[in-house]
Amino acid sequence: MDDFRTRRARRWWQAGRPIRSIGRAEAFVADVGFALLFPATGVALPSLYEAASEQPMPFSEMAWGPDEQRVWGWKDELPRKRLAWSGRLLRGGRASFLAPDLLADFYPRAGEPDDFHQAPLGAEARRIAETLLASGPLPTAVLRQAIGLEGRRGSARFSAAVVELGRALVCTSFGTEQVGSGWPSVVLELTARAFDLGGREPHEAGRRLRVARRFLDTMLVASDRELASAFGWPPATARAALEELVDCGEAVLEAGAYRPGA
């Protein structure tokens, strides 16, 4: 078990020198393929913060130091520079990153700015997407006002809609913009307009297999339930993808868990 933890720490960039630049942050996301922004208790996934700091996460944002602030800034700058997708995706809508090549395989639609019409979105999430389609990237403060979701209740409904858009890969963070006083407002943009998703293999099964292969390569050992939970796949879909890797000799199933094949 200790050897496995050591191997996983190396694979997740937690054993070497902490990341100190956005260029290294890009390299980290490109290498692991997917990552959380910050670690979460009981969630075994790579996180940018753990690769960028030797300190545990503070319990309060009031205790944030340079490491936390730097990583928080990368959340918006990486997608603005088109170095990584950033949004609410992994494990039910946590702040996450995807490498552009993995995004191209994971993206479930045609790759056109208006393809969110094909996604099963709620009314408020769809209104956000429609507003972005018509106006281009907008700060969340402006978006909330544009679709009438201001105030305390409006804020909660807006946040839920943003999680929905992230899990469907409709939107990505896209930098920040100062709107009034206070903290800069996160800018949202349509994923298909921010990233080049063209030229993808037309067969969904082939793309799904590559995503499962990348997941296993990064996790080192994982169950079908972990794959389904991480990406929001139906359990049967996750199991089928991993079993196909086994059939191809690219994975091995031992004691209910999968690992990359020799």
Side-chain angles (χ1 to χ4, degrees):
M1 181 61 72
D2 288 341
D3 179 62
F4 172 67
R5 289 197 183 99
T6 299
R7 290 192 298 118
R8 184 172 269 184
R10 286 199 301 265
R11 182 69 187 90
W12 294 359
W13 290 45
Q14 296 169 7
R17 188 175 180 180
I19 294 170
R20 288 291 183 264
S21 70
I22 193 170
R24 292 289 289 163
E26 175 199 6
F28 163 75
V29 177
D31 184 39
V32 297
F34 59 92
L36 296 171
L37 173 61
F38 293 122
T41 302
V43 178
L45 291 172
S47 75
L48 180 56
Y49 178 80
E50 288 176 301
S53 178
E54 296 175 319
Q55 303 299 319
M57 275 294 298
F59 289 107
S60 168
E61 290 186 12
M62 299 299 294
W64 278 20
D67 289 347
E68 291 81 11
Q69 292 173 7
R70 182 169 51 251
V71 171
W72 185 257
W74 291 340
K75 168 182 67 71
D76 304 307
E77 284 304 297
L78 282 166
R80 188 183 68 82
K81 295 176 181 292
R82 294 175 170 83
L83 303 177
W85 180 91
S86 173
R88 297 280 179 173
L89 174 66
L90 298 174
R91 283 300 296 264
R94 297 181 184 276
S96 316
F97 299 97
L98 288 179
D101 62 335
L102 185 61
L103 171 66
D105 280 331
F106 197 53
Y107 194 80
R109 295 174 296 278
E112 299 295 332
D114 62 352
D115 67 11
F116 61 83
H117 291 120
Q118 305 163 18
L121 300 174
E124 288 167 345
R126 191 170 299 278
R127 283 164 58 203
I128 292 173
E130 292 280 8
T131 303
L132 293 174
L133 180 65
S135 303
L138 289 172
T140 53
V142 174
L143 269 171
R144 285 180 56 190
Q145 184 176 24
I147 65 172
L149 288 180
E150 299 176 277
R152 189 179 221 174
R153 291 185 179 179
S155 178
R157 288 161 56 192
F158 183 83
S159 295
V162 169
V163 170
E164 187 179 355
L165 291 165
R167 295 190 69 184
L169 290 177
V170 171
C171 291
T172 180
S173 299
F174 207 62
T176 59
E177 185 175 319
Q178 191 68 46
V179 180
S181 59
W183 292 98
S185 183
V186 173
V187 174
L188 293 183
E189 170 63 307
L190 296 171
T191 297
R193 196 160 52 197
F195 292 91
D196 181 8
L197 300 171
R200 299 178 306 133
E201 177 184 322
H203 301 297
E204 181 181 352
R207 297 198 305 271
R208 188 166 56 236
L209 194 63
R210 287 197 294 271
V211 172
R213 185 185 296 118
R214 190 75 171 274
F215 181 80
L216 204 55
D217 176 74
T218 295
M219 298 297 289
L220 301 179
V221 176
S223 68
D224 52 350
R225 290 184 179 182
E226 287 175 307
L227 173 56
S229 176
F231 292 148
W233 286 4
T237 299
R239 188 177 310 112
L242 291 170
E243 286 296 331
E244 187 170 349
L245 290 178
V246 171
D247 293 342
C248 296
E250 298 185 50
V252 175
L253 174 61
E254 294 178 343
Y258 299 83
R259 62 174 176 80

